[in-house]
Amino acid sequence: MSILSTIEKCLDNAEQLNGELNSFLKIERNYALNRAAELENNGEEQSLKGTAIAVKDNICTKFSQTSCGSRILGGYRPQYNATAVERLLKAGAVVVGKTNMDEFAMGSSNENSAFGAVKNPWDVTRVPGGSSGGSAVAVASGVVRASLGSETGGSVRQPASFCGVVGLKPTYGRISRFGLVAFASSLDQIGIFGQTSKDIADVLSAVAGRDKNDATSADVQVPNYAEELSKDITGKRIGVPRALFGAGLDDEVRGAVEAAIDNYKNLGAEIVDVALPHSKYSIAVYYIIATAEASSNLARFDGVRYGFRAGDAHGLREMYMRTREEGFGAEVKRRIMLGTYVLSSGYYDAYYAKAQKVRTLLKQDFLDAFERCDAVLTPTAPTVAFKIGEKTDDPLAMYLSDIYTASANLAGVPGISVPCGLSKDGLPIGLQIVGRHWSEATLLNLANAYENEFPLGAKPVFSVG
Ligand code: GLN
């Protein structure tokens, strides 16, 4: 098929499924068709030539909106492309649209979008996970092979697990954050969804690497990830922190992950015990650090510089207040308040400074574990996709969705979620593999081995073809 007809088909599928799934906030038909026609004729060899990719709506695109799922940025169009987008385009990809998300990437269910919840294509009464739910669903429903999401505490891995696709959070500094709208800058990282690890490897090879526009992007060589995918995994040491398989973990998820551990053993991996003793503090630490940074990052949305401004205000102060009151949703306001509180002078040492110390211990846990193994295996999330509305009145229950993922963001290490089975209700279960800094190639290799030998063997109810 020509690039043009492939992209046209992809756009038709996106439009057709969006009524039910709401995974795209904007489908860029004209832009994508023009781009496809251009690529068809450019005669260049490019690694992602003609590949349709969906991009989360908190990653800046000058050819489309960047709303962050928020009223306060509704219709906002940036003046520049994020570096990751710029590199995708340079590699010949076609960005077909911007995907729905929890407002400012705050959430675990995609119910916090100002533009409506995203539905899980395996069961539309359930959430797809969050905050990158739209990007996960665009891949799970077969509209695109790969998409960009963002991760602060699990927002790629957790929805990948709920939607039955592969999701990678790279090492902090692996992909430039230039043009990724900041939520919590010391944790944020662009992540990638793929139908397979190969899709992720191809996209990662294109977007990773040092960028002069992001001082936290690292000058670490970018391997050709696809070449390392199918190496033999015999002798790889996989660490299992059994102590984390306790309370709160759904029995079916535990069963599937235990089976996956046996499967890895049969594939030649060596299973070793590890302890991550401070992991139990990860949610508490995460919600102090993430909200503290968010309260500061979100101060820039004041009705002057970007997007929405409340009308009829008397004076500057009232304009600020009304813009933020009307522009932000409930969860964002909750986080700004929490973050402001933990940073306030009387509480800074008790909360923020303490959390930073525990963060160091969490990181040390991983470094200690990696003395004994090449990667650590856990469930990605404690449950399968839950019902829409089930946790909206209980923020703490919602926050616990990230119990297995947040520690990798706090430590800056990479993690991947791979489908490892279906529940008796036919819902996907994900296993997570976390590795050393810069070990994305190892994670993709381990994920690829699993996918090839133990494919999910089922498709969502709502999907292409
Ligand atoms: N669910 C977590 C939160 O609500 C993580 C979000 C993310 O990774 N962007 O903050």
Side-chain angles (χ1 to χ4, degrees), residues 56 58 102 104-109 112 130-132 150-158 183 188 286-287 290 331 335 398-399 401-402 405-406 409:
K56 188 176 180 179
N58 60 349
D102 282 306
F104 284 101
M106 297 173 186
S108 304
S109 67
N112 295 336
S131 63
S132 314
S150 73
E151 269 258 4
T152 305
S155 279
V156 167
R157 287 163 289 159
Q158 185 253 22
F183 161 8
D188 295 344
Y286 170 80
Y287 276 94
E331 182 63 25
R335 307 260 180 134
M398 187 75 91
Y399 294 172
S401 304
D402 294 307
T405 48
N409 302 71

Side-chain angles (χ1 to χ4, degrees), residues 36-373:
E38 223 174 85
L39 287 163
E40 198 97 67
N41 299 319
N42 75 1
E44 277 176 55
E45 261 201 52
Q46 293 166 296
S47 63
L48 296 173
K49 190 164 189 168
T51 308
I53 300 222
V55 173
K56 188 176 180 179
D57 210 22
N58 60 349
I59 300 177
C60 288
T61 44
K62 65 178 174 198
F63 49 84
S64 188
Q65 65 168 41
T66 299
S67 72
C68 291
S70 181
R71 260 196 306 278
I72 213 161
L73 280 174
Y76 167 66
R77 189 180 272 247
Q79 317 252 343
Y80 60 93
N81 287 328
T83 299
V85 169
E86 204 52 53
R87 290 183 181 178
L88 282 178
L89 298 179
K90 221 166 130 212
V94 181
V95 176
V96 291
K98 301 299 291 289
T99 57
N100 203 348
M101 56 182 283
D102 282 306
E103 187 174 7
F104 284 101
M106 297 173 186
S108 304
S109 67
N110 236 291
E111 294 163 292
N112 295 336
S113 166
F115 307 106
V118 179
K119 311 283 169 58
N120 190 314
W122 294 83
D123 173 353
V124 290
T125 67
R126 292 177 188 266
V127 304
S131 63
S132 314
S135 287
V137 170
V139 172
S141 61
V143 170
V144 290
R145 292 202 66 82
S147 60
L148 297 187
S150 73
E151 269 258 4
T152 305
S155 279
V156 167
R157 287 163 289 159
Q158 185 253 22
S161 165
F162 281 13
C163 292
V165 298
V166 191
L168 172 77
K169 181 208 86 86
T171 309
Y172 185 80
R174 181 74 294 190
I175 300 178
S176 167
R177 290 184 296 115
F178 181 69
L180 168 66
V181 178
F183 161 8
S185 312
S186 77
L187 302 162
D188 295 344
Q189 186 64 197
I190 288 177
I192 304 167
F193 293 94
Q195 293 188 1
T196 63
S197 306
K198 167 77 166 62
D199 300 321
I200 295 182
D202 291 340
V203 172
L204 184 63
S205 296
V207 301
R210 169 77 188 159
D211 169 22
K212 66 173 178 9
N213 287 326
D214 173 8
T216 65
S217 68
D219 201 359
V220 174
Q221 200 224 330
V222 181
N224 181 334
Y225 292 103
E227 271 174 15
E228 317 233 351
L229 265 186
S230 33
K231 287 205 303 216
D232 189 2
I233 68 159
T234 307
K236 281 264 184 293
R237 286 167 311 157
I238 297 181
V240 178
R242 293 259 175 220
L244 306 185
F245 287 39
L249 178 60
D250 178 271
D251 284 339
E252 279 192 279
V253 176
R254 181 188 292 112
V257 173
E258 292 287 359
I261 294 169
D262 287 339
N263 288 339
Y264 266 115
K265 216 186 286 174
N266 294 333
L267 290 176
E270 188 190 325
I271 306 298
V272 302
D273 286 330
V274 293
L276 297 172
H278 299 92
S279 258
K280 53 180 179 285
Y281 303 118
S282 65
I283 290 294
V285 170
Y286 170 80
Y287 276 94
I288 291 171
I289 292 175
T291 57
E293 294 185 21
S295 70
S296 161
N297 274 325
L298 270 57
R300 75 192 64 178
F301 302 106
D302 57 4
V304 177
R305 282 171 280 198
Y306 313 89
F308 170 77
R309 173 185 297 180
D312 292 335
H314 301 289
L316 186 62
R317 200 180 165 77
E318 191 183 327
M319 191 278 286
Y320 287 156
M321 289 184 1
R322 296 230 339 239
T323 297
R324 289 166 69 83
E325 161 63 30
E326 292 167 33
F328 288 136
E331 182 63 25
V332 173
K333 288 176 187 158
R334 181 181 295 129
R335 307 260 180 134
I336 293 173
M337 286 192 288
L338 256 173
T340 308
Y341 179 81
V342 300
L343 288 176
S344 59
S345 62
Y347 295 101
Y348 184 96
D349 288 331
Y351 293 110
Y352 184 72
K354 184 69 138 217
Q356 292 291 14
K357 290 178 188 162
V358 182
R359 181 179 189 171
T360 304
L361 297 174
L362 273 158
K363 181 174 170 195
Q364 193 55 48
D365 278 0
F366 276 114
L367 299 181
D368 293 345
F370 294 138
E371 299 269 313
R372 298 169 48 82
C373 63

